[in-house]
Amino acid sequence: MDFDQILAKCGDFNRYQFMILALFGFINIIVSMHYFTQTVISFVPDHWCYHDKLVNMTYKQIGEIYAQFGEESSCTRLEDINGHNVTVSKEKCDKWIYNYDFGYRSMNTELNWVCDSAYKARIGQSLFFIGSVVGTLFYGLLSDKIGRVPALILSNFCGFAGDFSTIFTKSVGTFTLCRFISGLAADTNFYLMYIIVLEYIRPSMRTLGLNMAVGLFYCLGLVFTPWLAVLAGHWQIYLACTSLPILLVVLYYFVVQESAQWLVTRNDIDGAIVRLKRVAKFNGCRVTQAEFDEFRRHCQMTREMQGGDEKKTATLLDMFRTPRMRKNTLILFFKSMVITLCYDAVSRNVEGMGISPFIMFSLSALAVLPSSILLVLLQDRIGRKGMASGSLLVGGLFTAASGIAIAYQQHNHNAILLACLTIAARFGVAISYESGSQYATELIPTCVRGQGVAAVHVAGFAASFLAPYILWLGTFFKAAPSIILGVLFFAGSFVCLLLPETLNRSLPTTIEEGEVFGKGERMFDFPCLQHSHDDDEESDSELEKYKRKHSLIDAKQMESSSNGKRKQSLIDADREEQALKDAKH
C-alpha cells in the first residue's frame, strides 16, 4: 500500500484538506502584502519643487506653472515666479510640495527620496531580491533538514522581522539591511506551504484546489493591499498592519501536520504514520493498524529496493552532463528569469499611467483570479508548452502596446487605454507565472526535482534584481520599461517552444529518462492540434523503450534475488532439521 492509497483511507479531500487550503489561503494573503510592501511604501505622488509663492496656490495652478518644463518639472527649482513667467534657479531642489493620493504619506515623500534621491528606494528593492535568492537556498536546504513546517514558520518570522524593522529606518544603510532581511522570506514563505498542501490532497483535486486557492486569496490580498495603505494613511502604520499578522503563522505548528512523505524519505516511517493517524482522526476516518503496517512494509521494501538507486546520489550538476538535459535546464532557467522579472516589473509598474497608482494596482490585481480560472480550464487541453508560450506572447503584445501608447501620447495619456493594456499584460504574465512552476516540476526528473525546482526559483529571483532599474528607466523615457519587458516576453515565448510537452506523458524519474524525454518532438507539436495518438507515441517512444528495457532488467534482478532468498531459506531449514536430529542422538 503506497502513500496515495493510505492517504485515501485517511481522507484525501475531507475536513483536514479544507482546513489546510484555508490556511494556505491566509498564507497567500500575507504573502501578497509582504511581496509588494516595497511598492506601496514607495508610491510617489505628483510633486513639485517648493517655492514660497506656491504655498497658497492649488495643485492645478502649480501643475500649470511647471507644465512648461515637461518631465523635468518635478525636479526643477524656480528662482522667481511672476504669474506664468518664471525664472529657473541653478540650485538643486531640496524641498517639495506633494499632492498626496488619498492623503497617503509614503516613505519616499517623508524622506524626500525623489528626483536625484529616487535611486535610494530602488537599492532597497534590489537588496530584497538578493535576500530572496539567499533565503530560497537557505530555507530550501533547512526544510530538508528540520522539516517543512518549522522552515515555513522561521521563513515567515524572518519576513515579519524585516518588514517591522523597516518602520524605524531613516537612512539608506538601515533601510537596505531591513529589506534584505525581509527578502529572505520571499518565495519560501509561500512554496513550503504549497508543497505541504499538495502532498495531503488527492492528485485529481490538486490543480483545482491549489490554483483556486492562489487565484482567490492572492487576488484578494493584492486588491486590498493599496486600500489598507490608504486606510492607514502613513507608510509606518501600514507596515505595522501588514507585518503583525505574519506572527499568526507560528500557530501553524499546532494544526498543520508535517509532510508525511518527507518523513518517509528521512526513514522516519513511525513519524509519518503518526501524522497520517492525526489526519484520519481529524477527518473522522477509521484506518486499521493492519493497513498502517502494510504501508510500513511498503515503505521499507521501497527503501531496500532503492538502496543503491540514482535517486539518492544524483545532484543538480547531473542535469548539465548530457546535451538534451542541459538544453532543457538552461531553457527552464531562462524562462523562470523572464517570467519572474516581467511579473514583478508589470505588477509594480503602476505609476506614470495618468491614473492613481492605488487604483491602477487594484485594477491590475483583478487579473489574477481570472488567470487562475483560465489555467484550470485550459492547461489540460492546450498543454503545458502551448499555455506557457501563448500566455507570454499575449503578455508581450499588450506590454509592448502600452509602451507604444505611452511614447505616442507623451503628455496627454489616455488613462483608460493604458489601464486596459496593463491589466491585459498582467493577465498574461499571471497565467505564465502560475503555470511555470508546474511545468518545471514535471520536466525535471524525480531524482533531482527538489534541487532543480529550487534552482529554477533562485534564477528567477536573481533576475528580479533588475526589475527596479528597468522601472527606473521610466524616469528618463516613460515607455522604456514597457518596451524592454515586451521584448523579454517575446524571447520567453519563443524558448518555451523548444521544450518538450509533458501533458499525458510518462514523466522522467532519472537523468537518463530526462535525456530521452520528448526526443523527436517538433517545436509546434501541441496536444490540442493532434487528431491521433501517433505523434504522442512517436515523441515518447524513446522514453517508453528505455523504461520497458529497465523494467525487464529490474524484474529479472528481483526474480533472481527472490529465488536466491528462497534457496537460502531451504538451506537454512535443512540445517536446522539436521541440527535437531543431531541433538536427539
Side-chain angles (χ1 to χ4, degrees):
M1 183 179 294
D2 62 16
F3 182 81
D4 287 339
Q5 291 172 328
I6 191 66
L7 181 62
K9 293 183 178 295
C10 297
D12 55 7
F13 201 66
N14 209 314
R15 290 195 294 264
Y16 179 75
Q17 284 70 30
F18 296 147
M19 181 193 73
I20 59 176
L21 278 172
L23 294 176
F24 181 52
F26 176 72
I27 287 286
N28 275 274
I29 292 176
I30 63 174
V31 164
S32 64
M33 293 190 292
H34 169 77
Y35 190 74
F36 290 103
T37 289
Q38 177 70 32
T39 302
V40 176
I41 65 174
S42 301
F43 278 158
V44 179
D46 292 334
H47 56 285
W48 307 272
C49 198
Y50 178 85
H51 194 281
D52 291 337
K53 293 185 178 181
L54 298 175
V55 174
N56 296 322
M57 292 186 181
T58 64
Y59 293 123
K60 183 178 180 180
Q61 292 173 327
I62 296 173
E64 290 175 351
I65 292 174
Y66 275 98
Q68 58 186 299
F69 300 105
E71 295 183 357
E72 298 296 327
S73 60
S74 300
C75 306
T76 302
R77 185 169 185 170
L78 302 181
E79 183 71 30
D80 189 36
I81 301 174
N82 185 13
H84 285 278
N85 297 319
V86 297
T87 304
V88 179
S89 173
K90 294 182 180 180
E91 297 181 8
K92 288 186 176 181
C93 189
D94 56 5
K95 187 177 181 181
W96 286 265
I97 298 173
Y98 296 101
N99 182 13
Y100 297 105
D101 281 318
F102 298 98
Y104 172 70
R105 296 175 180 267
S106 68
M107 178 193 67
N108 285 38
T109 60
E110 183 170 295
L111 300 179
N112 287 324
W113 285 359
V114 294
C115 294
D116 292 340
S117 298
Y119 73 92
K120 295 178 180 179
R122 305 296 185 191
I123 293 176
Q125 186 62 31
S126 297
L127 265 293
F128 178 90
F129 287 121
I130 293 175
S132 68
V133 171
V134 176
T136 300
L137 292 172
F138 175 73
Y139 287 112
L141 293 172
L142 190 65
S143 68
D144 284 337
K145 295 292 184 182
I146 66 174
R148 316 296 191 212
V149 176
L152 172 71
I153 294 171
L154 290 174
S155 174
N156 277 278
F157 184 80
C158 195
F160 159 76
D163 282 353
F164 194 76
S165 59
T166 303
I167 295 174
F168 308 101
T169 60
K170 296 295 182 182
S171 65
V172 179
T174 55
F175 174 70
T176 52
L177 176 62
C178 292
R179 299 319 298 158
F180 175 81
I181 296 173
S182 178
L184 291 172
D187 204 36
T188 49
N189 58 354
F190 167 82
Y191 83 75
L192 288 177
M193 187 64 185
Y194 183 97
I195 292 173
I196 293 172
V197 175
L198 182 142
E199 292 180 348
Y200 277 112
I201 287 186
R202 183 187 308 162
S204 61
M205 299 302 296
R206 287 171 183 169
T207 299
L208 175 63
L210 288 168
N211 282 288
M212 290 309 299
V214 171
L216 180 62
F217 290 100
Y218 196 75
C219 177
L220 180 65
L222 289 179
V223 172
F224 180 67
T225 291
W227 305 110
L228 176 61
V230 171
L231 185 64
H234 194 275
W235 68 278
Q236 291 174 313
I237 300 175
Y238 165 77
L239 276 176
C241 293
T242 56
S243 59
L244 289 173
I246 300 177
L247 293 175
L248 294 175
V249 179
V250 175
L251 300 177
Y252 281 33
Y253 183 81
F254 303 101
V255 293
V256 177
Q257 300 303 316
E258 183 54 81
S259 168
Q261 288 187 333
W262 173 77
L263 289 169
V264 171
T265 63
R266 304 293 293 178
N267 200 29
D268 186 6
I269 302 174
D270 291 333
I273 291 176
V274 168
R275 270 66 177 187
L276 288 170
K277 285 182 177 179
R278 291 174 183 172
V279 171
K281 182 178 180 181
F282 193 92
N283 286 333
C285 299
R286 292 186 178 182
V287 186
T288 64
Q289 185 60 42
E291 289 171 323
F292 282 118
D293 290 339
E294 186 179 349
F295 170 67
R296 185 196 304 276
R297 287 193 297 271
H298 169 79
C299 294
Q300 291 172 341
M301 185 183 303
T302 302
R303 186 172 183 83
E304 290 174 3
M305 291 174 60
Q306 295 178 348
D309 197 68
E310 180 194 11
K311 292 177 183 177
K312 297 184 66 176
T313 58
T315 65
L316 180 65
L317 294 177
D318 293 323
M319 297 174 64
F320 295 92
R321 299 191 190 281
T322 54
R324 295 193 72 255
M325 271 298 300
R326 180 165 55 246
K327 182 198 76 171
N328 290 343
T329 302
L330 292 175
I331 290 175
L332 286 176
F333 277 27
F334 179 75
K335 180 175 73 73
S336 176
M337 293 168 70
V338 169
I339 291 176
T340 309
L341 173 59
C342 291
Y343 180 84
D344 187 80
V346 169
S347 301
R348 299 178 194 277
N349 192 22
V350 294
E351 298 182 67
M353 298 286 182
I355 188 172
S356 169
F358 295 94
I359 298 175
M360 190 67 248
F361 191 95
S362 293
L363 288 176
S364 63
L366 291 174
V368 174
L369 180 57
S371 68
S372 296
I373 296 174
L374 191 66
L375 188 67
V376 171
L377 296 176
L378 297 182
Q379 183 161 256
D380 289 341
R381 298 182 181 182
I382 296 177
R384 313 297 191 246
K385 179 168 69 172
M387 201 71 184
S389 179
S391 58
L392 284 171
L393 179 63
V394 170
L397 289 173
F398 285 106
T399 303
S402 64
I404 295 171
I406 292 173
Y408 181 73
Q409 303 171 356
Q410 284 288 334
H411 305 296
N412 299 315
H413 292 164
N414 188 326
I416 297 177
L417 174 62
L418 292 180
C420 292
L421 292 173
T422 302
I423 293 171
R426 178 70 178 273
F427 179 75
V429 75
I431 294 176
S432 58
Y433 189 84
E434 290 185 44
S435 64
S437 296
Q438 183 174 350
Y439 199 8
T441 303
E442 292 176 346
L443 271 178
I444 296 174
T446 305
C447 60
V448 289
R449 187 162 291 161
Q451 303 170 60
V453 171
V456 168
H457 278 270
V458 168
F461 277 110
S464 297
F465 178 86
L466 300 173
Y469 298 104
I470 291 177
L471 297 180
W472 182 54
L473 294 175
T475 59
F476 305 101
F477 179 50
K478 288 189 178 296
S482 297
I483 294 174
I484 294 172
L485 294 175
V487 172
L488 290 174
F489 270 120
F490 293 141
S493 176
F494 172 75
V495 298
C496 283
L497 296 175
L498 303 177
L499 292 172
E501 180 57 64
T502 61
L503 179 63
N504 299 327
R505 304 283 176 84
S506 298
L507 301 181
T509 57
T510 65
I511 295 294
E512 285 78 8
E513 291 178 5
E515 176 64 17
V516 299
F517 182 77
K519 193 172 183 179
E521 184 177 323
R522 293 163 296 186
M523 182 182 294
F524 295 101
D525 281 345
F526 302 113
C528 58
L529 300 179
Q530 295 172 354
H531 300 289
S532 67
H533 299 288
D534 296 339
D535 293 335
D536 287 339
E537 293 172 359
E538 179 183 355
S539 62
D540 210 30
S541 59
E542 294 294 330
L543 178 57
E544 293 303 323
K545 288 178 182 177
Y546 180 88
K547 286 193 171 185
R548 283 196 296 270
K549 175 183 175 182
H550 284 264
S551 294
L552 289 172
I553 294 173
D554 292 341
K556 290 179 180 178
Q557 290 176 345
M558 289 179 65
E559 183 179 357
S560 176
S561 176
S562 179
N563 290 335
K565 288 180 179 179
R566 284 197 295 270
K567 288 179 181 179
Q568 186 64 39
S569 297
L570 290 173
I571 293 171
D572 292 340
D574 290 339
R575 287 177 178 174
E576 289 179 5
E577 185 178 353
Q578 185 63 39
L580 287 172
K581 289 180 180 179
D582 293 341
K584 289 180 179 179
H585 291 293

